[in-house]
Amino acid sequence: IQEWDANVYAGDPLRFPGYDERQRALPESGEAVRTGRTEHYAYIDGCFDVLGGSMGAAAGERVVRAYDRARDLGLPMVLSTRTGGARLQEGMIALAQLARTASAAGRHARAGLLSVAVYGSPTTGGVLASYGSLVDVRAATERAVIGFAGPRVAEGALGSTLPATSHTAASAYEHGLVDAVVAPD
C-alpha cells in the first residue's frame, strides 16, 4: 500500500474561532481523508473520527489528486466513506470541494475506469452529494446512516418526526440509492 498526499493539510482560511486549535489536536494523519493505492486499485478512505469526516480544502485536494492519479495509472477507485459532509469551519471553500471532487470523479469515469463505494455510518452531506455518489457500484454497511442531511437535521427542517426506516441502509437499497447492503466493517 502506498499512501498519497499525506503532506496536504488544511489551513484556517476563515480564521474560524477555535479551528486552529482543533487542527493541532488531530491525529498524525491530519485529515479526514486518506488516499493512496495498492497494486490493483486506488483508494479514498474517509475517517469520521477526524472532524466528523468533514471535507474541507485539504480533503478535497486529496480526493481530486487521487482520482486524477488513478486515471493516469489506469486504476479503478475504491471509496470508503464515513462523513458528516462539508467542513463548516471553511465555509464556501469547503462547499467548492463538491464541484472539484465531482469533476475529478467524472474525469475518472470518462476514462472508462470502474469506481466502487462502500458507505459507512454516517455518510451524509457534501461527500454523498458529490464524488461519493458518482461511482459505478454503491454498497452500504448494514447499520449505515445515509442521506444528504442527517435524520436530526431533516427532522428539524421538516418540523416532524421521520419514520424509523429513514436514512437506513435498507431504505437506501429499497429506493435504489445503493446496489447492496453488506456486513458492518
Side-chain angles (χ1 to χ4, degrees), residues 1 4-5 8 11 27 41 45 51 53 77 84 91 98 113 129 137-140 143 156 161 163 177 180:
I1 293 179
W4 290 335
D5 299 312
V8 174
Y41 62 88
D45 186 22
L51 297 171
M77 180 60 75
L98 278 68
L113 297 165
V137 179
R138 294 166 205 80
R143 296 182 193 105
T161 303
L177 180 62

Side-chain angles (χ1 to χ4, degrees), residues 22 24 38 61 100 103 107 120 137 140-141 147 152 171 173:
R22 289 186 75 188
R24 282 195 299 270
T38 70
E61 183 64 20
R100 292 185 68 236
S103 293
R107 290 189 295 273
V137 179
T141 58
R152 183 174 42 102
S171 176
Y173 177 74

Side-chain angles (χ1 to χ4, degrees), residues 10-161:
D12 187 5
L14 303 180
R15 299 189 202 314
F16 194 91
Y19 187 40
D20 191 42
E21 292 81 27
R22 289 186 75 188
Q23 288 177 322
R24 282 195 299 270
L26 293 176
E28 193 174 312
S29 69
E31 249 319 319
V33 172
R34 295 179 73 179
T35 63
R37 67 168 290 181
T38 70
E39 184 179 348
H40 303 289
Y41 62 88
Y43 67 85
I44 299 169
D45 186 22
C47 178
F48 189 77
D49 296 336
V50 178
L51 297 171
S54 58
M55 182 170 58
E61 183 64 20
R62 287 182 181 193
V63 168
V64 169
R65 288 181 184 189
Y67 264 114
D68 287 343
R69 279 192 188 112
R71 183 199 63 219
D72 293 346
L73 295 168
L75 292 172
M77 180 60 75
V78 176
L79 312 175
S80 172
T81 63
R82 286 184 60 227
T83 177
R87 190 166 299 167
L88 93 101
Q89 295 92 338
E90 294 185 27
M92 286 303 295
I93 293 167
L95 292 177
Q97 304 315 305
L98 278 68
R100 292 185 68 236
T101 58
S103 293
R107 290 189 295 273
H108 184 266
R110 284 189 299 281
L113 297 165
L114 177 70
S115 57
V116 177
V118 178
Y119 303 145
S121 191
T123 294
T124 60
V127 170
L128 183 65
S130 62
Y131 76 93
S133 291
L134 300 175
V135 296
D136 298 303
V137 179
R138 294 166 205 80
T141 58
E142 208 167 54
R143 296 182 193 105
V145 172
I146 303 167
F148 179 67
R152 183 174 42 102
V153 173
E155 284 182 346
L158 295 171
S160 63
T161 303

